[in-house]
Amino acid sequence: ASLWAAAAAAKSNAAAAAVQDEASRRDAYTASFSALSAAALKECLRAQKPDQLLGGNKKELVDRCVDRKLYGNLPRCPACGLGKLRVAYALPVGHKGQGRFSCPGGYDDDAYKPCSYKAAAAERPAWTVVAAETETPVRKSAKKRPAGGGDDEGAPVPLD
């Protein structure tokens, strides 16, 4: 019985380590994408195959870029071929990019065609790194103030 318990514990530890790794990568990607402008985030999404949704505020764009980089891009709907799949996850991490996929439909010429496609899994094409993602963001420089807040710039600082 202890052999089974050891095997179960090892599997549980490996799963916990994988979730921790996923959470760490998510945090790192969130930090790097958050430093980019909304235009650069859209450029990253526009370069993906198939093309990804570009709408939303900066937080939504960052979240979308992080999700696609971690798990792959969302494909077009296999049923209608018009819509872009959407995904809802049961948990924030540990889902490996799989969840409830659905298609809202899409435009064919000028007419909107609704779609009711739903699936529990989808094959997600890999994220493509683009120049906008690797550029160092330009930060606004803050005016430097003396350490003590006074006019004693250049004065020695005590090292208690």
Side-chain angles (χ1 to χ4, degrees):
S2 64
L3 197 55
W4 289 106
K11 188 174 183 179
S12 176
N13 288 343
V19 169
Q20 180 60 42
D21 177 60
E22 182 181 326
S24 296
R25 287 186 300 135
R26 174 178 289 283
D27 291 345
Y29 293 161
T30 299
S32 69
F33 282 118
S34 293
L36 300 177
S37 68
L41 294 168
K42 288 180 181 184
E43 185 178 328
C44 290
L45 290 166
R46 206 174 274 118
Q48 304 308 309
K49 301 293 179 220
D51 56 329
Q52 302 297 298
L53 292 174
L54 302 176
N57 61 36
K58 183 170 177 182
K59 182 188 179 321
E60 291 167 329
L61 293 170
V62 167
D63 290 347
R64 195 171 299 136
C65 286
V66 169
D67 178 81
R68 304 313 185 262
K69 185 160 182 163
L70 274 172
Y71 311 116
N73 296 310
L74 290 177
R76 287 232 175 241
C77 178
C80 71
L82 301 171
K84 297 175 184 180
L85 288 187
R86 296 183 178 171
V87 63
Y89 302 121
L91 300 169
V93 291
H95 50 72
K96 299 179 184 169
Q98 298 301 306
R100 291 186 323 261
F101 293 88
S102 61
C103 176
Y107 283 91
D108 186 14
D109 295 323
D110 292 337
Y112 180 78
K113 307 275 185 182
C115 181
S116 58
Y117 176 81
K118 292 186 180 353
E123 190 172 323
R124 299 178 69 165
W127 173 268
T128 303
V129 176
V130 296
E133 183 181 344
T134 59
E135 290 175 5
T136 304
V138 177
R139 297 178 189 257
K140 294 179 182 175
S141 60
K143 194 173 188 180
K144 290 190 176 182
R145 303 174 109 191
D151 293 333
D152 55 350
E153 190 170 14
V157 177
L159 299 174
D160 295 331

